[in-house]
Amino acid sequence: MLDAKFLRNDIEQTAELLKKRGFDLDVSLLSELEEKRKSLQVSTENLQSERNTRSKDIGQAAKRGEDIKPLREAMNELGEALDKAKEEFALVTEQIKTISDRVPNLPHESAPIGKDENENVEILTWGTPKQYDFEVKDHVELGEALGGLDFKSAVKISGSRFIVMQGQIAKLHRSLAQYMLNLHTNEHGYTEMYVPYLVNADSLYGTGQLPKFGDDLFNTNPATEEGVGMSLIPTAEVPLTNMSRDVIYDETDLPIKMTAHTPCFRSEAGSYGRDTRGLIRQHQFDKVEMVQLVHPEKSFEALEELTGHAEQVLKNLGLPYRKVVLCTGDMGFSATKTYDLEVWLPAQDTYREISSCSNVGDFQARRLQARFRRTGAKKPELLHTLNGSGLAVGRTLVAVLENYQCADGRIEVPEVLQPYMGGLTHIG
RNA sequence: GGUGGGGUGGCCGAGUGGCCGAAGGCGCUCCCCUGCUAAGGGAGUAACGGGUUUAUAGCCUGUUCGAGGGUUCGAAUCCCUCCUCCACCGCCA
């Protein structure tokens, strides 16, 4: 959520910034609602103030033993006026909230301006795609041939976009997650977290999945009138970042760096037909997530650092990748700046997203009321949140299978993973 | 899941319809006293929002005693629903 002041005092400029990311802010509607809000709020509060003083008078009169009946009757009219004013005020407030809840974050000035993914800007590439003197297979073919990826069983058990893994490939998948977690906790200073996979609506609102992206979530029954049903997490960013909800940290507590390995569940209602083959787009996938809660003046620095942590995983696995900075039109709802890491997939002869690292600024913190107090200061301030995948485990498995395939269909185990695989050097 | 008891300011804790945004204590800040230390005396000390404003100053004002709803001229206090914590019982990886 943006600072309400932006929408009140700087609405033109705010609208301009939002336009960069392809978001049309209805300035005239919002200004009109704001105008209404202001006058309604003042008049409502005046009525409340009058009610309060007159109620007090009644109390004192009663104490003196006077007849308070006429005073009470005189209040009825005021009561009605107040009820009406409150109702109108609530309506306008709700309308403003409905709009502002759906307004994305403002892009940082360093984010390139562009319309869609085609205008993302490549920052660097790392590693050189291997040359193969045989025809490369994709991970589906490789995995099925090895008996490790079982799409058919997954369809029977659950449906499309699920996977059953078994044997060495299941183990490789687990090893990848273990390796990432160990790297981040041992080398990068993150605290390992274990978190719930079912979360309440407040948490989803806090990180920005609700109200706008509810369709992408798997919800448990019952989603009653009050909407108390819980949802499966689409990313560990939700539980991790919500750790900070309604907390005031000491300045010296920051930065707080957390990592967790969790399954992620996405209904991706709008994406049927895309990436239908293989493990690229699943309803359930594992991810190692990194979240940082930082001092507002250090969040862009922290973004570089956090992205570096994700890159380190790819480097250590020897997977060629490229780093792009997302243009304003391709950034996620909450982000103010985002780097994507794209791993080389030889069978597709292209780079595919495997990590997304964002500085969210104070956008989530405002919804979360996640704050800190400067040493010696009285007022708490909003902190900044960041999140990034480090990495998506399923896609990393795809990358390992495809990049480390041998002519005979076996898979070489990347060196750093061999200890996790009991010293195994090849699968198959 | 059942029964019983709780959820009040940074913390502890009083408060069953108006004098309660909230006693008292602890903590914290400032001042005084005391030649150090210890002790003592005094004052202050919730959050969030709106209006005004150059202002995160001041002033005016609203809301908040787990959350939401209700009764009432008036609710921390009464009623309803929910959440949550504790104890015991049942069930359970």
Side-chain angles (χ1 to χ4, degrees):
Chain A
M1 179 160 59
L2 294 180
D3 191 333
K5 292 201 172 78
F6 289 166
L7 297 177
R8 283 179 196 159
N9 307 335
D10 280 324
I11 191 161
E12 294 292 347
Q13 204 190 336
T14 303
E16 200 142 312
L17 279 167
L18 289 169
K19 194 159 227 151
K20 287 186 184 173
R21 45 185 307 164
F23 184 88
D24 262 324
L25 188 66
D26 192 336
V27 173
S28 65
L29 174 64
L30 203 55
S31 307
E32 192 187 312
L33 287 171
E34 254 311 314
E35 199 89 345
K36 268 198 199 163
R37 188 224 99 229
K38 199 159 158 177
S39 75
L40 281 170
Q41 181 158 1
V42 169
S43 59
T44 305
E45 288 185 0
N46 284 343
L47 287 170
Q48 283 177 316
S49 175
E50 193 179 339
R51 180 205 57 194
N52 289 345
T53 47
R54 281 167 70 173
S55 286
K56 252 182 198 145
D57 289 346
I58 292 177
Q60 311 217 320
K63 202 114 225 170
R64 290 191 300 266
E66 293 169 17
D67 180 19
I68 59 168
K69 204 169 166 204
L71 289 171
R72 281 173 45 184
E73 277 165 4
M75 287 286 276
N76 288 339
E77 208 173 305
L78 178 69
E80 275 169 36
L82 180 56
D83 282 347
K84 200 172 155 227
K86 272 184 173 169
E87 205 175 302
E88 283 177 44
F89 176 58
L91 192 71
V92 171
T93 309
E94 185 58 38
Q95 286 173 325
I96 291 173
K97 185 170 154 56
T98 302
I99 293 173
S100 53
D101 272 351
R102 289 168 171 74
V103 174
N105 202 355
L106 301 178
H108 188 247
E109 58 195 16
S110 66
I113 295 169
K115 209 163 81 222
D116 55 32
E117 62 198 51
N118 297 313
E119 296 183 66
N120 295 341
V121 175
E122 182 177 296
I123 304 285
L124 60 83
T125 61
W126 182 92
T128 314
K130 237 184 266 176
Q131 297 302 310
Y132 300 88
D133 51 10
F134 55 90
E135 193 159 333
V136 294
K137 301 186 177 106
D138 75 359
H139 68 280
V140 177
E141 228 180 308
L142 290 163
E144 285 185 327
L146 290 165
L149 293 183
D150 185 351
F151 291 91
K152 282 209 175 75
S153 295
V155 166
K156 176 178 67 185
I157 296 166
S158 297
S160 66
R161 294 181 187 270
F162 287 91
I163 189 63
V164 169
M165 294 183 230
Q166 70 175 15
Q168 300 291 8
I169 287 188
K171 189 170 185 175
L172 182 64
H173 180 259
R174 171 164 60 89
S175 300
L176 281 166
Q178 299 297 312
Y179 174 70
M180 294 174 196
L181 220 39
N182 284 342
L183 182 70
H184 296 318
T185 54
N186 296 337
E187 311 285 332
H188 298 155
Y190 290 79
T191 302
E192 179 168 350
M193 307 290 286
Y194 174 84
V195 291
Y197 303 156
L198 284 165
V199 294
N200 58 34
D202 284 344
S203 293
L204 291 159
Y205 178 79
T207 36
Q209 279 75 25
L210 291 180
K212 206 173 176 181
F213 305 102
D215 287 351
D216 292 340
L217 299 169
F218 282 109
N219 298 302
T220 61
N221 277 336
T224 62
E225 314 86 65
E226 277 111 42
V228 292
M230 294 198 281
S231 304
L232 286 160
I233 55 171
T235 160
E237 171 198 340
V238 177
L240 288 179
T241 308
N242 270 279
M243 289 289 295
S244 66
R245 175 144 51 94
D246 296 321
V247 177
I248 300 175
Y249 296 96
D250 287 334
E251 186 174 24
T252 50
D253 292 338
L254 305 180
I256 289 170
K257 299 159 73 174
M258 296 174 280
T259 185
H261 164 220
T262 72
C264 303
F265 302 91
R266 297 189 185 174
S267 86
E268 307 261 18
S271 67
Y272 277 91
R274 284 185 68 191
D275 299 314
T276 44
R277 181 175 168 84
L279 287 182
I280 295 297
R281 195 176 298 270
Q282 297 270 290
H283 286 314
Q284 172 187 321
F285 62 95
D286 279 28
K287 182 158 60 65
V288 171
E289 181 76 359
M290 300 175 286
V291 163
Q292 292 198 19
L293 312 175
V294 307
H295 198 287
E297 283 145 33
K298 297 195 175 142
S299 61
F300 283 95
E301 203 177 300
L303 176 63
E304 300 300 321
E305 180 199 274
L306 181 142
T307 309
H309 295 152
E311 292 181 62
Q312 197 60 50
V313 178
L314 289 164
K315 287 177 181 168
N316 292 0
L317 287 169
L319 294 170
Y321 70 91
R322 67 176 198 138
K323 177 180 178 181
V324 302
V325 56
L326 297 194
C327 74
T328 49
D330 196 32
M331 286 195 312
F333 179 73
S334 308
T336 185
K337 183 174 185 180
T338 299
Y339 290 115
D340 270 9
L341 301 180
E342 300 178 344
V343 71
W344 175 254
L345 294 185
Q348 294 190 14
D349 196 34
T350 185
Y351 291 98
R352 289 302 302 258
E353 178 185 342
I354 197 166
S355 171
S356 190
C357 302
S358 299
N359 181 8
V360 180
D362 63 11
F363 190 81
Q364 289 174 330
R366 186 167 295 106
R367 292 191 180 201
L368 294 163
Q369 284 302 298
R371 294 174 291 173
F372 77 105
R373 213 186 310 263
R374 286 178 204 265
T375 312
K378 196 161 171 262
K379 284 230 169 211
E381 296 171 45
L382 295 174
L383 48 76
H384 281 195
T385 62
L386 299 100
N387 61 76
S389 11
L391 309 162
V393 181
R395 289 190 181 179
T396 311
L397 180 71
V398 169
V400 168
L401 292 176
E402 295 196 5
N403 281 280
Y404 281 90
Q405 62 181 296
C406 308
D408 57 6
R410 294 191 307 159
I411 310 294
E412 191 187 336
V413 178
E415 206 176 318
V416 294
L417 294 182
Q418 289 175 10
Y420 294 80
M421 297 288 292
L424 195 74
T425 59
H426 288 80
I427 291 176

